[in-house]
Amino acid sequence: MSNTPDIIRSFERVPADLVREAAQYQPAIFADVAGRRGALHGRIKPLHPRMKLAGTAITVEVRPGDNLMIHAAIALAKPGDVLVVDGKGDQTSALMGTIMMTACRQLGIAGVVLDGAARDSTEIDEMDYPVFSVGTNPNGPTKNVGGRIGHPVSVGGVTVYPGDFVIGDADGVVVVEREKLAGLLPLAAKKVKDEAARIAAIKDGDTAAKWLTAALRTAGVLKEGETL
């Protein structure tokens, strides 16, 4: 039997300066430079498309429809953390609403990612507090069942470790492993620069994808010497 406690209070986080630097990039950029990894399932969306978040994960595992451990995580979270909750994708009741989101904002928690439902979406929208969830439900949660904090969780099909970098926008959420973020930042900067150059070239009339013909031949769509 494991002696690991259900609540792990201390874990290493991405340094704040790296979070600030990484926050300037889109989640899509990180998904690309990380090898198309780290993007949560598209079922997890912002309550409003303008919502954005960036911070370090404090992970929470709950039983479907029960938010006891989320209350505990809010009490333990540090400013700049993002609550990342494995709610098992359940949409039969909301795990969080206006009261909890107001507390999160007051405490400096950078946002919430729920693999579960939220409620009070209009009020949260008016608060302009970033919340990403699988949807909404007016039904409230119970507060009866234990869970875990600070352990690896599976959220939107991605394993998230406490302290990982979390970033979200209208496209969805991407998680980058804590120890890999610093190495990906130069790649993210280069990709932004390269994409800007490519867009400029397209606007100047260079619309042809240079790689397309070779890729079609490799896929067997075009024969050798054949072109579109």
Side-chain angles (χ1 to χ4, degrees):
M1 186 174 179
S2 174
N3 292 322
T4 304
D6 287 334
I7 297 177
I8 297 177
R9 293 171 172 79
S10 178
F11 50 85
E12 191 172 354
R13 292 166 166 84
V14 172
D17 59 333
L18 288 185
V19 171
R20 286 191 295 270
E21 183 178 353
Q24 67 183 301
Y25 299 109
Q26 296 176 333
I29 294 294
F30 280 111
D32 284 355
V33 300
R36 307 301 199 269
R37 294 183 178 90
L40 274 55
H41 192 284
R43 68 175 180 265
I44 298 178
K45 302 176 181 179
L47 290 181
H48 191 283
R50 73 170 179 277
M51 292 180 173
K52 297 181 180 181
L53 62 75
T56 51
I58 179 168
T59 55
V60 191
E61 183 183 3
V62 303
R63 289 289 297 275
D66 193 283
N67 74 357
L68 176 65
M69 299 308 292
I70 303 176
H71 284 276
I74 292 171
L76 294 172
K78 296 182 178 181
D81 280 348
V82 174
L83 289 179
V84 180
V85 181
D86 174 9
K88 318 303 180 187
D90 179 66
Q91 291 181 267
T92 61
S93 61
L95 291 173
M96 299 179 71
T98 303
I99 292 175
M100 296 177 75
M101 300 305 181
T102 301
C104 287
R105 186 171 65 174
Q106 185 69 23
L107 291 166
I109 295 172
V112 174
V113 177
L114 295 170
D115 200 344
R119 70 177 181 179
D120 305 329
S121 56
T122 299
E123 288 85 353
I124 294 168
D125 181 21
E126 291 170 351
M127 288 167 57
D128 200 20
Y129 185 71
V131 175
F132 291 67
S133 73
V134 299
T136 59
N137 193 305
N139 190 34
T142 58
K143 299 172 173 59
N144 303 321
V145 185
R148 301 200 299 179
I149 297 170
H151 290 255
V153 294
S154 177
V155 175
V158 173
T159 301
V160 185
Y161 291 84
D164 282 350
F165 176 67
V166 184
I167 186 166
D169 67 7
D171 289 338
V173 179
V174 169
V175 176
V176 179
E177 295 99 318
R178 174 184 55 78
E179 65 274 12
K180 292 184 179 179
L181 181 62
L184 291 178
L185 288 174
L187 300 179
K190 182 178 184 301
K191 184 163 182 62
V192 169
K193 183 178 178 180
D194 290 348
E195 287 192 355
R198 181 61 188 135
I199 290 170
I202 290 171
K203 290 180 178 180
D204 285 339
D206 181 12
T207 59
K210 306 297 188 293
W211 51 268
L212 179 58
T213 298
L216 290 170
R217 287 176 182 158
T218 299
V221 177
L222 293 180
K223 298 177 181 178
E224 192 64 35
E226 185 180 5
T227 60
L228 289 176

